[in-house]
Amino acid sequence: MTRSTFIPALLAATTIPAMSLAQEAATIDARVNEAFATVTGPFVALIFAPIPFTGFPWIVLWLVVAASIFTWYFRLIQVRAFFHAIALVRGDYSDPNDAGEVSHFQALATALSGTVGLGNIAGVAVAVGIGGPGATFWMILAGLLGMASKFTECTLAVKYRNEYPDGTVSGGPMYYMKKGFAERGRKGGGILAVLFSVFCILASFGAGNMFQANQAHAQISGLVGDYPGWITGIVFAAIVFAVIVGGIKSIARVTEKVVPFMGLLYVGAALVILAANYDQIGWAFGQIFAGAFTGLGVAGGLVGALIQGFRRAAFSNEAGVGSAAIAHSAVRTKEPTTEGVVSLLEPFVDTVVICTMTALVIIITRQLMIDPDTGRYIVQDGAIQTVGGTSGVTLTSAAFASVFSWFPVVLVLAVVLFAFSTMISWSYYGLKAFTYLFGEGKVQELTFKVIFCIFVVIGASASLGPVIDFSDAAIFSMAVVNIAALYVLMPIVRREVNSYFARLKTGEIRKFSGAPAE
């Protein structure tokens, strides 16, 4: 055999097995996905099942009703305590000698880094694209109500946290479920705590990790060209591990810098667009209010707008889920109510500010197509027609790019930062759930952190449909367990709140500088 015939023959001989291996691997992947979907499908379907004859997911109603009840029970705490929350974040009442590991601002930044993300960019675009501008009104309302849910869970998280001699703390729903139920003489707290911890670990691996890595890789490869996902995964895993190996203090030091930067970057671009189109802002709000109560003829009408708004807000700010309570429990304070008050700001920033900015930009840049004859939005296949047929994150990108041609590059940076910050926050949530189940200790902590980083690589390089569906369901299963516990424990929160604000009013609680409290 000559050289000219040998090489093609050799290539053919080696290519065929390689192709067979690739096909076999693809077949195995498909079988695993199918098997996983078969096993978890009923659970996912149950969590996201609609209420009969409405199309409204019962889990969203569960969150919104709870938020409404807490708003009433604590007498509009989100309004009464709003400016005091700002004073606390500024550090006016912070004693550095109090137990805890991070400041009020660091705790808020860490919690925000876990919620501010793709929901604010892609989720809002989905809501407006289906429910029309009116979905924005219901999204804002759900965010305002959700502030009361955050307040309730974060107050309990600090009250029932474990404080250790070395200055570290562990807290979150699993701790207040077990301790709070025991204090009230109720049974079942330990079982709820275990269930919550299991769901939290699963959610941290899925929606808080693999989904973030997957979307970050998709955005990067869309900008620079296609390349293997495992490369993105390894880079992200190395950076994430370098941050999380230092614990909550290391995470907080990163998030207190990343969160303001990414928030200002995104909101700043939105404000520039709004300023350039200031004459359209009144019209945009008119569309939002009209759509909220009339539907403006969009898919589903008024009900469709309401469902989409509430659903996106619930998915975005996670109020009532219990995840952020784990981050807030690490704060330096001796007054549980203070961190509950600080946490009020989280749904406000996430939903009322950032989500609304996204919606306004999409509306003002006229990405939603309107029939010039009727003045109504053009609806086809259950969604509003958009310029260029975009949806989700591409709709948001197109809206910004219509003013700034370079904005898609900024959006990639924002998505990467959002994904990174969400991963490091959820690593802490999953870690605390893991150590609750398997015990505190360096070995347990390192074990979880290594596993978490392995899932970063998997997430960036895999197709995750059924896994993400399951992990989303796990997040909202946390809410089922958490809100059930909050109903039992909210009288304890009211005692804490009444005591704190009474002492604040009399001057017993003063600014740390020694000046009288506001």
Side-chain angles (χ1 to χ4, degrees):
M1 181 179 294
T2 64
R3 179 186 174 95
S4 60
T5 57
F6 173 75
I7 292 178
L10 178 61
L11 288 174
T14 55
T15 301
I16 292 172
M19 291 176 60
S20 299
L21 287 173
Q23 291 170 349
E24 182 63 25
T27 302
I28 292 173
D29 286 348
R31 288 175 180 170
V32 169
N33 274 341
E34 184 180 351
F36 188 83
T38 301
V39 172
T40 62
F43 171 67
V44 174
L46 173 64
I47 294 298
F48 295 113
I51 298 170
F53 311 113
T54 67
F56 200 104
W58 74 269
I59 188 63
V60 175
L61 187 66
W62 175 254
L63 289 164
V64 172
V65 168
S68 302
I69 290 173
F70 298 140
T71 296
W72 166 79
Y73 190 76
F74 295 111
R75 297 185 297 118
L76 285 173
I77 188 68
Q78 56 267 67
V79 177
R80 294 191 295 122
F82 186 84
F83 291 105
H84 186 56
I86 295 173
L88 287 166
V89 171
R90 283 201 311 256
D92 291 357
Y93 298 84
S94 299
D95 185 343
N97 297 315
D98 285 343
E101 300 184 69
V102 297
S103 69
H104 286 298
F105 177 75
Q106 288 176 323
L108 177 63
T110 300
L112 271 172
S113 72
T115 56
V116 176
L118 290 170
N120 306 83
I121 300 175
V124 174
V126 170
V128 175
I130 297 176
T136 309
F137 175 86
W138 300 110
M139 191 164 51
I140 293 171
L141 178 61
L144 292 172
L145 292 173
M147 293 166 72
S149 298
K150 283 279 180 166
F151 166 80
T152 308
E153 61 193 8
C154 292
T155 300
L156 288 167
V158 176
K159 180 174 178 59
Y160 291 109
R161 67 187 180 182
N162 284 355
E163 299 175 1
Y164 303 109
D166 63 356
T168 61
V169 299
S170 289
M174 50 278 194
Y175 291 92
Y176 60 67
M177 288 169 184
K178 187 173 182 180
K179 294 181 180 181
F181 273 54
E183 184 177 312
R184 295 210 67 199
R186 302 293 181 88
K187 296 180 179 179
I191 296 173
L192 290 180
V194 170
L195 284 173
F196 179 89
S197 298
V198 170
F199 291 138
C200 185
I201 292 170
L202 293 173
S204 73
F205 287 151
N209 180 337
M210 291 192 290
F211 175 70
Q212 303 300 324
N214 189 275
Q215 292 302 295
H217 172 70
Q219 287 296 307
I220 295 171
S221 61
L223 180 68
V224 304
D226 194 32
Y227 67 96
W230 59 265
I231 297 176
T232 300
I234 289 176
V235 172
F236 261 82
I239 298 173
V240 168
F241 186 79
V243 173
I244 68 176
V245 74
I248 184 60
K249 290 183 179 179
S250 176
I251 292 171
R253 282 194 296 269
V254 173
T255 56
E256 74 173 340
K257 296 177 179 65
V258 172
V259 170
F261 174 75
M262 68 187 189
L264 289 173
L265 176 72
Y266 189 74
V267 172
L271 285 174
V272 171
I273 291 177
L274 296 180
N277 297 273
Y278 68 93
D279 57 324
Q280 298 292 308
I281 294 176
W283 171 80
F285 275 110
Q287 292 288 294
I288 288 171
F289 285 108
F293 298 104
T294 67
L296 289 176
V298 301
L302 165 62
V303 175
L306 185 147
I307 290 174
Q308 287 301 319
F310 277 172
R311 180 171 183 170
R312 280 304 117 197
F315 276 61
S316 179
N317 63 47
E318 297 174 15
V321 170
S323 52
I326 301 173
H328 285 284
S329 69
V331 72
R332 280 192 300 271
T333 186
K334 61 178 178 290
E335 296 286 350
T337 301
T338 59
E339 195 57 25
V341 169
V342 167
S343 71
L344 289 172
L345 298 175
E346 191 185 328
F348 183 82
V349 173
D350 176 273
T351 306
V352 179
V353 176
I354 299 180
C355 287
T356 302
M357 288 287 187
T358 302
L360 283 173
V361 169
I362 292 172
I363 296 167
I364 283 176
T365 56
R366 309 289 180 129
Q367 295 300 305
L368 306 178
M369 297 179 68
I370 300 177
D371 187 329
D373 296 327
T374 64
R376 292 178 175 271
Y377 289 99
I378 302 173
V379 178
Q380 185 175 341
D381 298 327
I384 298 174
Q385 293 296 291
T386 59
V387 177
T390 57
S391 62
V393 69
T394 56
L395 172 56
T396 304
S397 181
F400 279 88
S402 68
V403 179
F404 304 123
S405 60
W406 44 262
F407 187 79
V409 177
V410 176
L411 187 64
V412 170
L413 176 60
V415 168
V416 169
L417 287 175
F418 286 152
F420 170 67
S421 62
T422 299
M423 283 190 282
I424 61 176
S425 295
W426 271 94
S427 73
Y428 183 70
Y429 302 158
L431 171 65
K432 288 304 174 183
F434 188 84
T435 55
Y436 179 83
L437 293 177
F438 300 104
E440 303 279 351
K442 297 295 184 184
V443 174
Q444 292 93 324
E445 290 188 10
L446 184 60
T447 299
F448 176 83
K449 290 170 183 176
V450 170
I451 295 172
F452 188 87
C453 289
I454 290 172
F455 274 95
V456 174
V457 180
I458 295 172
S461 53
S463 175
L464 303 170
V467 175
I468 293 305
D469 288 343
F470 177 73
S471 59
D472 280 346
I475 285 182
F476 289 97
S477 297
M478 291 164 60
V480 174
V481 178
N482 184 51
I483 287 176
L486 294 183
Y487 283 138
V488 174
L489 301 176
M490 61 186 188
I492 295 174
V493 178
R494 184 154 67 178
R495 285 203 307 269
E496 289 284 337
V497 173
N498 291 343
S499 170
Y500 176 80
F501 280 101
R503 287 179 287 129
L504 187 66
K505 188 174 181 179
T506 61
E508 181 181 342
I509 295 175
R510 303 166 69 90
K511 291 185 178 181
F512 184 65
S513 62
E518 295 174 345

